[in-house]
Amino acid sequence: MSATQQITPELQRWIVEQATSGQSPEAVIKAMQDSGWSAQVAEQALEDTLRDHLAESDLARTLPPKMRVPEPLSDDGSLSIVLAPAPADEVRQVRVLSSLMNPRVVVFGGLLSAAECDDLIALARPRLARSETVESRTGGSQVNETRTSEGMFFSREENPLCARIERRIAELLAWPVNHGEGLQILRYRTGAEYKPHYDYFDLEQPGTPALLARGGQRVASLVMYLKTPQRGGATVFPDVQFNVAPVKGNAVFFSYDRPHPMTRSLHGSAPVLEGEKWVATKWLRERRFE
Ligand code: PD2
Ligand code: ZN
């Protein structure tokens, strides 16, 4: 094809416009020939452009619809967010350490105090059990080899510490406390990991409708680090090769506006190589979660 016969985005738009306004392929090719295109190149351009256009619109039809997601308060490029004191809390300056748009990931510094991290661990420790993952085939849960941590769930606002942290998160992310699940605590001993996965519920699985009945989809996750391991244990986003260091008091937020891999929200916990890692995970739902 000569340099004068490049299929530019403008030409592609024009071809799609002609086709969708009812012009026959012959008329489109004739018009292109009249403006200097060879018949063969014009036919090829028409075929390629319409095939790509159809593939895109098929994808748009089969994608689950977009949902509203939480967005960290005033993430306008400022490097810290001042949270007004919620009841029983004090003014808190949370640092924005990193921010990515696609996938949407924000790393916060200083979300929890050292004492809050220690207290959550102390409350959770006696209740730890081998972690289970939500089993979306049935809507129940099961022990899973991809997740070698131990964990427990607090119910929402189960104690004053959980309630205070939940109010802080609600303010930071502008998402109501009652749209969140209770905090999940995980302990990873040396060697433990959580293989890459998505946190949203898979629409293909038969157990998903039962999970969605209680508050709709998960639309965002906040993983808060309660104990820094000596080595390893980063939270990883393999699609964009982005790793977050698990530093006590810090947190990583990520959202997914549809239950689809195109959100690039695949994430996992790299194995802890030395020491122990503890986290608290908060999942946020579309609607009120009861
Ligand atoms: O502990 C983590 O870094 C981690 C990684 C992936 C936690 C979760 N997922 C989770 O709780 O869903
Ligand atoms: Zn996860």
Side-chain angles (χ1 to χ4, degrees):
M1 192 191 307
S2 79
T4 54
Q5 296 198 320
Q6 290 294 334
I7 305 171
T8 61
E10 290 72 32
L11 176 64
Q12 288 173 321
R13 262 195 300 278
W14 178 81
I15 290 175
V16 169
E17 263 169 36
Q18 299 306 304
T20 50
S21 68
Q23 292 293 332
S24 69
E26 293 75 17
V28 178
I29 291 166
K30 171 78 172 44
M32 288 177 73
Q33 278 183 290
D34 289 348
S35 52
W37 290 73
S38 80
Q40 198 193 357
V41 175
E43 264 175 48
Q44 195 64 51
L46 183 76
E47 194 182 314
D48 291 349
T49 302
L50 293 182
R51 192 192 47 237
D52 291 351
H53 175 69
L54 279 178
E56 273 170 28
S57 49
D58 277 354
L59 179 67
R61 260 198 302 278
T62 56
L63 277 179
K66 258 192 181 188
M67 300 169 292
R68 206 168 71 82
V69 296
E71 177 59 21
L73 213 154
S74 67
D75 187 30
D76 55 0
S78 41
L79 294 180
S80 66
I81 296 173
V82 177
L83 295 180
D89 203 355
E90 48 200 38
V91 177
R92 175 165 295 276
Q93 196 154 6
V94 178
R95 295 181 302 283
V96 175
L97 302 181
S98 307
S99 167
L100 230 63
M101 294 313 292
N102 183 11
R104 185 70 181 119
V105 179
V106 182
V107 183
F108 296 111
L111 180 63
L112 301 181
S113 70
E116 288 170 333
C117 295
D118 297 343
D119 291 350
L120 273 180
I121 289 177
L123 288 167
R125 189 186 292 278
R127 290 164 58 182
L128 288 182
R130 176 72 194 275
S131 287
E132 298 186 337
T133 36
V134 170
E135 176 49 73
S136 52
R137 275 190 307 110
T138 60
S141 60
Q142 67 164 195
V143 168
N144 193 317
E145 274 316 307
T146 63
R147 191 180 195 189
T148 46
S149 54
E150 299 146 279
M152 57 80 67
F153 273 94
F154 287 110
S155 53
R156 204 171 55 219
E157 299 178 300
E158 178 176 324
N159 55 51
L161 176 60
C162 287
R164 184 166 82 220
I165 293 170
E166 286 163 8
R167 281 195 300 267
R168 192 179 302 158
I169 294 169
E171 199 194 335
L172 179 71
L173 303 177
W175 208 252
V177 167
N178 66 21
H179 286 38
E181 298 180 32
L183 289 176
Q184 176 205 231
I185 309 293
L186 292 178
R187 168 171 69 180
Y188 301 81
R189 296 182 198 252
T190 303
E193 66 181 320
Y194 194 174
K195 295 252 169 63
H197 60 274
Y198 298 98
D199 281 355
Y200 55 72
F201 304 122
D202 182 351
L203 296 179
E204 302 286 306
Q205 295 296 330
T208 292
L211 295 166
L212 295 182
R214 238 184 126 193
Q217 263 294 356
R218 287 179 174 165
V219 288
S221 311
L222 181 74
V223 178
M224 295 166 276
Y225 303 108
L226 307 180
K227 182 174 169 50
T228 313
Q230 268 95 352
R231 232 157 32 90
T235 303
V236 300
F237 293 82
D239 287 347
V240 283
Q241 293 169 26
F242 183 69
N243 294 358
V244 181
V247 175
K248 180 174 179 174
N250 292 0
V252 58
F253 163 84
F254 49 100
S255 62
Y256 20 96
D257 59 11
R258 20 179 151 225
H260 193 277
M262 73 179 289
T263 56
R264 309 211 280 180
S265 62
L266 185 70
H267 65 286
S269 173
V272 170
L273 301 176
E274 197 182 335
E276 268 187 9
K277 169 188 173 185
W278 286 71
V279 301
T281 302
K282 180 79 176 169
W283 285 296
L284 301 159
R285 297 292 193 104
E286 272 181 289
R287 295 187 286 279
R288 200 185 171 103
F289 174 83
E290 296 304 343

